[in-house]
Amino acid sequence: LFNLFRGLVGSKSLTQDLMAPILDKMRDHLIAKNVATEIAHKLCESVASKLEGKVIGTFDTIATTIRTSLNEALVQILSPKRRVDILRDCLEARKNCRPYVMTFCGVNACDTFRAGAVEQLRTHTRHLNALHPPEKHAGRIMVQLYEKGYGKDAAGIAMEAIRFAKDSGIDVVLVDTAGRMQDNEPLMRALAKLIKVNEPDLVLFVGEALVDGIVLTKFDTIDDKVGAAISMTYITGQPIVFIGTGQTYTDLKALNANAVVHALMK
Amino acid sequence: MVLADLGRKITTALHSLSKATVINEEVLNSMLKEICAALLEADVNIRLVKQLRENVRAVIDFDEMAGGLNKRRMIQSAVYKELIKLVDPSVKPYQPVKGRPNIIMFVGLQGSGKTTTCTKLAYHYQKKNWKSCLVCADTFRAGAYDQIKQNATKARIPFYGSYTEVDPVIIAQDGVEMFKKEGFEMIIVDTSGRHKQEESLFEEMLAVANAIKPDNIIFVMDATIGQACEAQARAFKEKVDIGSVIITKLDGHAKGGGALSAVAATSSPIIFIGTGEHIDDLEPFKTKPFVSKLLGMGDIEGLIDK
Ligand SMILES: Nc1nc2c(ncn2[C@@H]2O[C@H](COP(=O)(O)OP(=O)(O)OP(=O)(O)O)[C@@H](O)[C@H]2O)c(=O)[nH]1
Ligand SMILES: Nc1nc2c(ncn2[C@@H]2O[C@H](COP(=O)(O)OP(=O)(O)OP(=O)(O)O)[C@@H](O)[C@H]2O)c(=O)[nH]1
Ligand SMILES: [Mg+2]
Ligand SMILES: [Mg+2]
């Protein structure tokens, strides 16, 4: 009698078969939003195994149950397990009378390789100093460029720069590196050396992973194809520390996990 | 080889046909499933993958078809044709004419590889004894002019640009004018990176194009970009008359499928692919040889156009 009653009001226990068509659709949807295929697969599988056997309530449909579960999984992926609090760590480093060192690396991102890289940073330095002139900061030059031209050993330059920063009481050293593909042996080795020799406080991967976190740029150019955020965090297990949202100096934001998931599930 | 993983997977799937004793719907479906999975993994647009599956299926009529060998060949050639359709809009690329100025304008998203590829292309033609030169009409990106200057100097390619002029239209116009007078044959104009979400940047691109009236506009696509590429490609095409496409960063582990899928949105042929950061890492692209080689079918028409 009880079973019959349950059948009547339509509550049911979820099976793989029941979920399959909806999960297939969800998976395709994620792929179309730029989530890597393998990861979309795994996500849907984990949702399926989590929901299998679950009895869903009278007013819930299978589709909404799956959606909710997928939503949760996505938000969880994007929510950092580890907080990267750069400002706090910088202050800590200052207390210890040493500069805080951040290294930026990435696929094609002290770039001593790409033509114009040094001039690019010099121009940026000039712009930043124009925005924050010494007159406004008790005569201190706020941003300095440390460069030694092209083709030199990046690890060595970074080390000199850190020493220079320490001696002149500079708070933060940002080390830009040449962009590289993972299989570009010489450049990857140079990067590994740079990191080993200089032990930066934070290594950030820009774009697209011996790293502490990720900066995902060009968020302003992708509409709702935000799946890369999921793929990157899923694969590396690293939090997205910042997202780039434009080409000016203030276009660096924290990632809003809920907003990203919302765009993904739209 | 570019996209080697994808090629290997598709070839393996096709081989399953030769291994099967009978070729029935089941065998075909499981082969198609493997191929589609490989394409999706390489980032090819899911809509196009589904279309490819339907099209191959539509070609094969199990009731009407005769022997196994025939079926095999038909299925294989259907897959081959669909792969070609994927990257080939069947439009003839612009052919530069020697002995007169050919004005080529580069456009594309930020960081897609325009400046690098400009130099590669100028170098490519210079090696073939075309009088080639570069114009830097990127007044936005910090260090843009120095980048071209250093690249061009290294390759001994004449260049034009300015540290003080802020209007890319004026630089482009002046540069093109100057090089035209000097009898250059390949005048390549580099522009700033831009994206459809910022209308003013698109207007600027149009203004440059209107001013220099390029013979060909090349859209540079980054192979690593994934699914966001298509909407951008379509928007660029709607704004200016893109005539050709170059896909960059196809070296390494690039999946490339996202960019390949976006080619259709430009209705323009891929003319070169970029396979590295050095000046000679540029390969002429031809669809059929590319797909043949991808599938290990031998270099039928000769991949390299000498
Ligand atoms: N729209 C947009 N453009 C960006 C963003 N971040 C960077 N860019 C642009 O992307 C281009 C490349 O940026 P770079 O900072 O030179 O990139 P990189 O990783 O240092 O490149 P390499 O040093 O050549 O490896 C430039 O035109 C930037 O202005 C962003 O968040 N949004
Ligand atoms: N591995 C690899 N890197 C490439 C290729 N083409 C360009 N790059 C790299 O990609 C980065 C960006 O290239 P650029 O030529 O500066 O790109 P861009 O489109 O001019 O950038 P903006 O002017 O800022 O919009 C550089 O680090 C190049 O070395 C390629 O085919 N393979
Ligand atoms: Mg850089
Ligand atoms: Mg450029």
Side-chain angles (χ1 to χ4, degrees):
Chain A
L1 188 70
F2 184 68
N3 268 339
L4 183 68
F5 181 63
R6 219 163 64 172
L8 274 178
V9 295
S11 68
K12 43 198 164 298
S13 154
L14 289 173
T15 64
Q16 295 275 2
D17 281 351
L18 276 174
M19 291 186 286
I22 297 161
L23 281 170
D24 278 353
K25 272 215 190 92
M26 290 282 174
R27 195 191 51 228
D28 290 359
H29 178 81
L30 289 177
I31 292 172
K33 294 267 173 119
N34 221 8
V35 177
T37 312
E38 311 88 273
I39 291 160
H41 265 296
K42 283 194 190 139
L43 271 167
C44 287
E45 263 171 28
S46 78
V47 166
S49 65
K50 191 171 148 212
L51 291 181
E52 190 172 13
K54 194 178 165 209
V55 178
I56 58 171
T58 322
F59 300 108
D60 294 331
T61 64
I62 304 177
T64 49
T65 310
I66 290 178
R67 252 186 105 81
T68 312
S69 177
L70 188 58
N71 223 317
E72 279 165 15
L74 290 169
V75 171
Q76 206 198 349
I77 289 178
L78 287 180
S79 308
K81 323 241 150 4
R82 198 163 44 72
R83 273 191 63 80
V84 177
D85 189 339
I86 296 175
L87 199 56
R88 191 195 59 204
D89 296 347
C90 286
L91 292 173
E92 186 65 35
R94 181 147 84 179
K95 255 197 254 151
N96 298 328
C97 295
R98 64 173 188 86
Y100 181 81
V101 181
M102 287 163 79
T103 299
F104 288 79
C105 59
V107 179
N108 307 314
C110 25
D111 194 342
T112 59
F113 179 74
R114 207 205 63 234
V118 174
E119 288 75 11
Q120 184 181 15
L121 285 179
R122 186 174 299 129
T123 309
H124 283 315
T125 309
R126 203 176 58 233
H127 289 170
L128 285 169
N129 281 322
L131 286 170
H132 297 277
E135 304 87 76
K136 281 207 216 150
H137 296 274
R140 273 188 81 160
I141 299 173
M142 296 308 283
V143 186
Q144 295 187 43
L145 175 67
Y146 192 93
E147 57 95 358
K148 283 277 165 302
Y150 294 91
K152 305 272 172 49
D153 171 40
I157 297 177
M159 184 150 40
E160 288 167 32
I162 294 165
R163 197 173 308 130
F164 171 80
K166 195 164 183 218
D167 294 346
S168 24
I170 287 170
D171 295 325
V172 184
V173 180
L174 301 108
V175 185
D176 184 21
T177 65
R180 62 207 76 218
M181 297 273 184
Q182 285 92 322
D183 56 350
N184 186 329
E185 273 287 323
L187 275 177
M188 280 314 276
R189 230 182 292 124
L191 177 62
K193 179 173 165 204
L194 187 148
I195 289 169
K196 191 155 161 266
V197 172
N198 296 298
E199 300 180 327
D201 297 283
L202 187 70
V203 179
L204 291 177
F205 182 85
V206 180
E208 301 151 70
L210 58 183
V211 295
D212 306 312
I214 301 163
V215 181
L216 211 53
T217 60
K218 303 183 194 162
F219 237 66
D220 50 328
T221 70
I222 55 171
D223 296 335
D224 58 357
K225 307 271 188 314
V226 290
I230 296 287
S231 304
M232 297 281 296
T233 18
Y234 191 97
I235 292 168
T236 61
Q238 300 295 345
I240 293 174
V241 185
F242 293 116
I243 54 170
T245 55
Q247 303 187 82
T248 69
Y249 297 121
T250 52
D251 293 330
L252 201 57
K253 307 261 150 54
L255 179 88
N256 178 342
N258 284 310
V260 169
V261 174
H262 182 78
L264 257 182
M265 300 293 286
K266 206 168 55 184
Chain B
M1 149 101 195
V2 167
L3 296 171
D5 247 14
L6 174 64
R8 198 165 29 71
K9 284 183 191 150
I10 295 181
T11 315
T12 314
L14 283 171
H15 267 305
S16 69
L17 286 182
S18 342
K19 277 192 238 130
T21 35
V22 270
I23 295 178
N24 51 24
E25 196 129 13
E26 203 179 314
V27 173
L28 175 66
N29 282 342
S30 97
M31 180 208 73
L32 279 174
K33 203 171 159 200
E34 267 177 60
I35 291 182
C36 291
L39 288 167
L40 284 178
E41 244 166 74
D43 258 354
V44 175
N45 184 294
I46 190 155
R47 204 185 60 243
L48 297 180
V49 173
K50 283 187 169 157
Q51 217 169 55
L52 180 141
R53 186 170 51 197
E54 291 318 309
N55 290 351
V56 174
R57 248 197 223 131
V59 172
I60 315 298
D61 182 346
F62 283 98
D63 297 333
E64 280 192 7
M65 263 167 31
L69 191 66
N70 192 18
K71 268 186 231 167
R72 245 173 232 132
R73 209 175 281 147
M74 280 188 73
I75 293 173
Q76 274 172 351
S77 93
V79 170
Y80 175 73
K81 273 190 200 135
E82 285 302 316
L83 285 174
I84 285 172
K85 261 206 325 225
L86 209 60
V87 280
D88 190 0
S90 333
V91 183
K92 273 224 161 5
Y94 168 76
Q95 287 297 341
V97 183
K98 213 162 167 0
R100 72 161 181 88
N102 297 270
I103 301 162
I104 315 288
M105 175 176 166
F106 272 63
V107 301
L109 282 176
Q110 291 93 348
S112 55
K114 294 174 295 302
T115 306
T116 312
T117 313
C118 274
T119 326
K120 287 179 180 177
L121 191 70
Y123 183 68
H124 172 86
Y125 279 102
Q126 192 182 50
K127 270 193 311 191
K128 294 172 150 190
N129 285 321
W130 292 57
K131 263 190 97 176
S132 309
C133 60
L134 290 162
V135 177
C136 174
D138 179 357
T139 51
F140 180 81
R141 165 151 169 192
Y145 182 35
D146 288 291
Q147 189 182 359
I148 282 229
K149 205 169 170 177
Q150 288 166 20
N151 280 338
T153 308
K154 217 161 137 193
R156 299 167 181 279
I157 300 163
F159 59 92
Y160 179 89
S162 164
Y163 284 116
T164 49
E165 177 57 63
V166 291
D167 186 351
V169 177
I170 293 176
I171 297 184
Q173 214 160 15
D174 289 356
V176 167
E177 237 8 85
M178 182 187 98
F179 284 128
K180 255 174 149 175
K181 273 197 202 112
E182 294 176 7
F184 277 84
E185 296 166 302
M186 262 295 155
I187 305 175
I188 298 175
V189 182
D190 185 23
T191 63
S192 308
R194 60 194 86 238
H195 54 296
K196 71 180 172 77
Q197 286 83 353
E198 238 181 286
E199 184 54 29
S200 63
L201 297 179
F202 262 46
E203 286 305 326
E204 179 195 277
M205 167 170 71
L206 183 63
V208 173
N210 286 340
I212 61 174
K213 300 193 178 55
D215 298 293
N216 190 18
I217 299 182
I218 296 180
F219 182 59
V220 178
M221 278 197 300
D222 177 340
T224 61
I225 169 170
Q227 304 305 326
C229 195
E230 193 187 349
Q232 294 289 352
R234 181 162 297 121
F236 271 87
K237 175 74 180 183
E238 276 165 14
K239 197 73 191 178
V240 293
D241 184 19
I242 289 168
S244 331
V245 172
I246 295 181
I247 301 185
T248 61
K249 309 186 196 176
L250 265 171
D251 43 325
H253 300 300
K255 291 182 161 187
L260 287 176
S261 316
V263 174
T266 66
S267 323
S268 307
I270 306 171
I271 51 169
F272 286 94
I273 55 175
T275 53
E277 298 187 82
H278 295 286
I279 195 154
D280 46 7
D281 294 330
L282 185 73
E283 297 174 18
F285 182 90
K286 285 196 167 161
T287 314
K288 279 179 191 155
F290 179 79
V291 174
S292 307
K293 201 169 158 198
L294 191 68
L295 300 183
M297 288 162 65
D299 195 358
I300 303 174
E301 282 165 74
L303 191 62
I304 309 291
D305 172 30
K306 283 272 154 68

